[in-house]
Amino acid sequence: MTVSKWTAEQVARKVIDNEELFILDVRNSDAFEDWKIEGHKFEYLNIPYFELLDGVEEILPQLPNEKDILVVCAKEGSSVMVAEMLSEAGREAAYLEGGMKSWSSYLEPIKVSDLEKGGELYQFVRLGKGCLSYMVISGGEAAIVDAVRFTDVFTNFAKEKGVQIKHVFDTHLHADHISGGRHIAAETGATYYLPPKDATEVVFDYTPLTDGLIVKIGESQIDVNALYSPGHTIGSTSFVIDNQYLLTGDILFIDSIGRPDLAGLADDWVGDLRETLYSRYRELAEDLVVLPAHFMIIDELNGDGTVARNLGDLFKDNHGLNIEDEAEFRRTVTDNLPPQPNAHEQIRQVNMGKITPTQDEQTEMEIGPNRCAVR
Amino acid sequence: MNVSKTIDATGLSCPMPIVKVKKAMDTINSGEVLEVLATDQGTLSDIPAWAKTGGHTILEQKTIEEVLYFYIQKS
């Protein structure tokens, strides 16, 4: 039997195309329970590789015959070993190239929609981490919102599209992942914007992203309008693009809302979060399509792999938008919160420019799910 | 602490440190202590998890100049 190698891109296709896959995850149980490759129709078996050193015979009956089997580990080494052992035992198996490390890094660009006068809007879905970045393209120019740290994905995509990156925005100072925003701006000569209230400690130059700022992209003058919407952080800012799309950052997700505690100020910011979700957003058109900066569970993906839903639908279905009692809302977003993202305080320091870890250290910091939401 | 055997797994990446540790463990007697040197950060979670499945005890874990030291007493 043969051992084949799958890339993160191939696995992403399985997720988006809603296909079946059997994942034999050979990391230790804590790591598996904390974070795994999520797919609508994926099945899992978690057996740490160190329990398989004497052979894989014991687990053979637990492996399906009719499905592809993908062996996954943290970085690749153990999954190669186990896939080879399965192969010797007569079972065909593949391993994931680069392991969970490459899964965490992979970005799938998906077109959300065409915009007025030849413009396009893309969502970059980082399936392994649940991060969503955006690129607006129009008339030879591009704007990027909430870019993750893999800057070449964005600059290469812009090259392919033949557009020049002019504006790079971060909706807030991220705590769950490392921003690529200012690096893309430095590389391309674009303007980098950050909300000033989130930037009091940053050690680099930036252009203040303030309420009401309007940037026009390309000849067709696609509007990118900033809307101050604090609560996840004190500076959190949303965008309305082309009067059709609402980029909510980490304030509002499809099936959850932003948590106010990642900068250590939950009690101070819960009122802002309430005000944004229950007043500011209520004044917006309900047919705006919400495009958040994260998803938490695979069920939030649409059939085409995008994460997007009408604001009006969210007002009806999103639990976090339907807590009438203010005291109950306060309790929901400050008590019994899920664990904070891995290394969130260090990640904030990186995004402020205060520390500059190596690529490997950055990968370690970003291990695990994003955990920016409260449900 | 009396160390019966030392394994140098520095520079090796997963799964090799555990493969070496397991082989060495098979050569020492119950109650004896194996010293392991490693640099793969994954060993910080994997060696204790592996030891637990075999009932072995981690007597000590320390880090000196980026080298991880484990002292494992065989069950």
Side-chain angles (χ1 to χ4, degrees):
Chain A
M1 289 290 149
T2 54
V3 170
S4 46
K5 176 171 77 179
W6 283 23
T7 61
E9 182 175 359
Q10 285 171 287
V11 180
R13 269 291 122 212
K14 292 268 181 195
V15 176
I16 292 165
D17 295 342
N18 226 346
E19 288 180 31
E20 294 189 338
L21 181 63
F22 188 90
I23 292 184
L24 173 59
D25 194 319
V26 298
R27 293 174 298 153
N28 70 58
S29 314
D30 291 349
F32 174 76
E33 273 157 36
D34 188 44
W35 177 54
K36 64 179 186 290
I37 300 179
E38 305 277 356
H40 300 277
K41 292 186 180 169
F42 288 11
E43 277 186 69
Y44 308 90
L45 176 64
N46 171 228
I47 306 274
Y49 68 93
F50 46 78
E51 292 181 23
L52 298 171
L53 296 178
D54 288 329
V56 292
E57 282 69 26
E58 281 182 23
I59 62 163
L60 292 179
Q62 298 179 62
L63 304 178
N65 289 313
E66 69 288 1
K67 283 183 193 169
D68 285 335
I69 296 171
L70 182 70
V71 189
V72 173
C73 70
K75 287 174 188 162
E76 178 181 296
S78 307
S79 62
V80 175
M81 178 186 77
V82 173
E84 282 172 354
M85 290 168 89
L86 288 172
S87 169
E88 279 160 28
R91 298 298 302 265
E92 199 166 316
Y95 67 90
L96 171 61
E97 182 181 28
M100 290 303 281
K101 186 177 161 182
S102 72
W103 179 243
S104 172
S105 311
Y106 181 69
L107 287 183
E108 175 91 10
I110 303 176
K111 190 187 216 176
V112 176
S113 177
D114 288 320
L115 302 176
E116 290 290 304
K117 302 168 205 155
E120 294 172 285
L121 176 58
Y122 286 87
Q123 185 176 54
F124 289 71
V125 184
R126 186 177 176 187
L127 283 164
K129 182 82 186 161
C131 296
L132 303 165
S133 309
Y134 296 90
M135 193 185 291
V136 184
I137 290 175
S138 166
E141 293 183 355
I144 300 175
V145 180
D146 287 333
V148 295
R149 69 188 164 90
F150 312 107
T151 56
D152 53 344
V153 176
F154 300 97
T155 53
N156 289 338
F157 192 83
K159 263 185 215 134
E160 270 172 43
K161 291 282 168 190
V163 295
Q164 198 189 350
I165 300 168
K166 301 287 275 189
H167 306 277
V168 181
F169 304 95
D170 269 319
T171 54
H172 62 287
L173 188 84
H174 297 282
D176 66 291
H177 68 274
I178 295 165
S179 168
R182 72 189 157 97
H183 305 292
I184 293 174
E187 203 180 310
T188 60
T191 308
Y192 176 59
Y193 303 82
L194 193 61
K197 287 183 179 174
D198 279 5
T200 51
E201 292 180 58
V202 307
V203 299
F204 47 79
D205 290 331
Y206 67 96
T207 302
L209 172 56
T210 48
D211 187 46
L213 177 90
I214 298 179
V215 168
K216 293 194 180 287
I217 313 295
E219 292 160 8
S220 54
Q221 303 278 290
I222 299 285
D223 276 350
V224 176
N225 295 18
L227 173 73
Y228 180 53
S229 54
H232 175 64
T233 62
I234 191 62
S236 290
T237 300
S238 307
F239 291 98
V240 177
I241 292 178
D242 204 20
N243 297 314
Q244 295 181 72
Y245 295 93
L246 175 63
L247 272 59
T248 53
D250 284 8
I251 286 291
L252 174 62
F253 307 112
I254 302 300
D255 194 34
S256 54
I257 59 174
R259 62 193 287 174
D261 64 311
L262 294 184
L265 295 166
D267 289 329
D268 293 351
W269 293 353
V270 62
D272 291 312
L273 184 63
R274 176 91 186 170
E275 167 83 13
T276 293
L277 294 176
Y278 286 75
S279 300
R280 284 168 199 262
Y281 277 2
R282 297 272 167 182
E283 291 163 18
L284 301 173
E286 293 208 344
D287 61 356
L288 283 172
V289 176
V290 170
L291 298 169
H294 289 298
F295 67 93
M296 313 304 149
I297 53 171
I298 200 77
D299 292 342
E300 291 174 272
L301 265 63
N302 296 328
D304 61 356
T306 60
V307 179
R309 220 172 151 212
N310 278 357
L311 182 60
D313 291 343
L314 297 191
F315 282 139
K316 284 203 284 285
D317 298 338
N318 188 318
H319 173 70
L321 294 177
N322 286 284
I323 306 171
E324 289 307 318
D325 183 60
E326 205 165 329
E328 191 193 332
F329 179 84
R330 179 172 283 272
R331 277 195 301 277
T332 304
V333 298
T334 54
D335 295 353
N336 303 316
L337 287 170
Q340 298 187 317
N342 188 45
H344 68 284
E345 192 43 51
Q346 278 175 295
I347 289 174
R348 293 181 73 247
Q349 301 277 329
V350 179
N351 287 336
M352 291 175 195
K354 288 182 173 177
I355 53 174
T356 310
T358 65
Q359 287 298 325
D360 280 351
E361 287 166 343
Q362 294 187 25
T363 301
E364 288 294 328
M365 285 181 191
E366 286 192 338
I367 287 296
N370 66 67
R371 294 198 175 121
C372 287
V374 50
R375 288 186 79 203
Chain B
M1 191 179 345
N2 265 330
V3 171
S4 303
K5 189 165 194 160
T6 297
I7 285 295
D8 183 358
T10 55
L12 298 179
S13 59
C14 182
M16 289 320 291
I18 296 257
V19 170
K20 289 190 81 162
V21 168
K22 183 179 182 300
K23 275 188 185 156
M25 210 63 168
D26 290 343
T27 67
I28 66 171
N29 297 315
S30 178
E32 290 183 339
V33 176
L34 178 71
E35 180 187 48
V36 181
L37 283 63
T39 45
D40 183 353
Q41 293 295 317
T43 57
L44 277 176
S45 53
D46 287 1
I47 287 184
W50 169 80
K52 203 175 160 193
T53 63
H56 311 303
T57 310
I58 308 273
L59 297 176
E60 192 189 342
Q61 196 280 307
K62 61 185 178 187
T63 306
I64 301 171
E65 290 173 359
E66 295 182 2
V67 177
L68 310 167
Y69 291 77
F70 299 85
Y71 297 89
I72 314 167
Q73 186 173 41
K74 185 165 175 171
S75 66

